[in-house]
Amino acid sequence: MGTAIEFKNVSKTFPGSSYPAVDDVSLTIEEGEFVTILGSSGCGKTTLLKMVNRLYEPDKGTIILFGEDISTVDVVKVRRRIGYVIQQIGLFPHYTVKDNIATVPKLLKWEPEKIEQRVDELLTLVGMDPKEFRDRYPSQLSGGQQQRIGFARALAVDPKIMLMDEPFGAIDSITREKLQSELVDIHDKTGKTFLFVTHDIEEAFKLGDRVIIMNEGRIRQFDTPEAIIRTPADPFVQSLVDSAKAKEAFWREYI
């Protein structure tokens, strides 16, 4: 397996801001990894994610996808190679589930039979019976079901990379746990590179093969959950680990 994503000295400062949102970040993500990005609001994690599909352009540095500097590639081509899932799923309300999933394949003028086949394949992958859900509308689905359709739509043209920005942030905790487990299963089945932003330490550690911890635009630590828990890199990371341990201790008192 090769390198999927590489950041080389990447910085981004927004107009009117006195400090960079992303500050001289360098990192490498291998093909097929599930990497989570953890940090509080304003730490730069969403900015980092959005630079991968060029929703934001860096002020300095280079981002390389599969050996190619993305600043040299047509932006539409870059985005078509990447699946993107956000908290506000953005399903088209007047489209059926099938038509929502088929949005990009139709733009790419796929054959109708190929589209039908892909829709059914993806509904099955995200645990929804095609016969039951294909012709429903988003308003007839629960929040968790809508998020599953969001994943299916992002996977439609078989992207090598999936970017996810707090996709479970607005979902109740029971559904969220179920979706987390299903997402790990989807990752295992597809072997794609997943980059997942969250502010929830338990979610970051449960999902990530490796975890990027960010604060004030910089990477504080990038390692496996186990290594971060055992040897936090600095006081900021230590405080995150301590807060997770304190929460766990609280629940243990009542069990």
Side-chain angles (χ1 to χ4, degrees):
M1 297 293 246
T3 297
I5 306 168
E6 190 175 359
F7 284 78
K8 290 183 173 178
N9 306 107
V10 172
S11 294
K12 174 71 179 174
T13 305
F14 290 103
S17 177
S18 55
Y19 58 90
V22 169
D23 188 4
D24 195 32
V25 163
S26 295
L27 63 89
T28 300
I29 294 166
E30 299 305 321
E31 217 172 321
E33 272 197 294
F34 195 140
V35 171
T36 51
I37 310 174
L38 173 67
S40 51
S41 294
C43 72
K45 58 191 187 299
T46 292
T47 304
L48 193 75
L49 190 82
K50 286 184 172 180
M51 287 193 285
V52 176
N53 63 353
R54 292 186 60 188
L55 286 170
Y56 296 149
E57 300 287 358
D59 301 326
K60 289 178 191 161
T62 310
I63 300 168
I64 296 166
L65 296 191
F66 300 101
E68 198 168 37
D69 178 350
I70 58 170
S71 67
T72 66
V73 182
D74 177 68
V75 71
V76 175
K77 274 190 183 165
V78 171
R79 288 183 191 153
R80 282 195 183 147
R81 294 175 191 168
I82 296 171
Y84 186 49
V85 183
I86 55 173
Q87 189 175 310
Q88 302 77 17
I89 306 132
L91 298 180
F92 300 115
H94 306 302
Y95 280 18
T96 61
V97 161
K98 180 182 90 175
D99 289 335
N100 265 288
I101 295 170
T103 305
V104 179
K106 281 181 177 174
L107 282 174
L108 298 176
K109 298 185 167 48
W110 284 20
E111 292 292 322
E113 308 81 61
K114 188 183 174 187
I115 290 176
E116 292 280 333
Q117 189 185 341
R118 185 67 175 148
V119 167
D120 288 0
E121 200 179 280
L122 288 166
L123 282 171
T124 304
L125 180 70
V126 299
M128 297 172 77
D129 180 3
K131 288 190 190 73
E132 189 182 339
F133 290 100
R134 196 192 288 129
D135 298 317
R136 287 198 195 179
Y137 288 88
S139 61
Q140 298 169 306
L141 304 173
S142 69
Q145 288 169 338
Q146 288 185 29
Q147 194 57 274
R148 286 186 183 90
I149 300 307
F151 280 117
R153 184 175 65 183
L155 285 162
V157 294
D158 204 22
K160 285 183 165 185
I161 293 171
M162 286 283 283
L163 305 179
M164 290 160 277
D165 192 359
E166 305 231 22
F168 305 145
I171 290 170
D172 67 90
S173 58
I174 294 168
T175 308
R176 184 174 183 152
E177 288 228 347
K178 193 168 189 303
L179 285 172
Q180 287 169 351
S181 299
E182 287 172 5
L183 187 60
V184 170
D185 194 40
I186 289 168
H187 176 258
D188 291 345
K189 283 176 181 168
T190 61
K192 297 185 183 302
T193 306
F194 279 19
L195 200 50
F196 185 108
V197 162
T198 180
H199 64 267
D200 182 318
I201 187 167
E202 282 137 352
E203 183 167 76
F205 281 33
K206 178 181 175 180
L207 296 179
D209 300 322
R210 290 195 293 161
V211 182
I212 296 169
I213 296 180
M214 290 189 74
N215 188 42
E216 297 177 340
R218 288 183 168 268
I219 292 177
R220 301 294 177 171
Q221 194 162 358
F222 181 18
D223 213 328
T224 62
E226 187 184 4
I228 292 168
I229 292 163
R230 285 188 173 170
T231 51
D234 65 14
F236 176 77
V237 179
Q238 181 73 61
S239 69
L240 275 183
V241 172
D242 289 347
S243 72
K245 284 178 180 170
K247 208 187 286 183
E248 198 182 307
F250 168 81
W251 283 112
R252 232 186 265 124
E253 276 183 47
Y254 294 90
I255 293 168

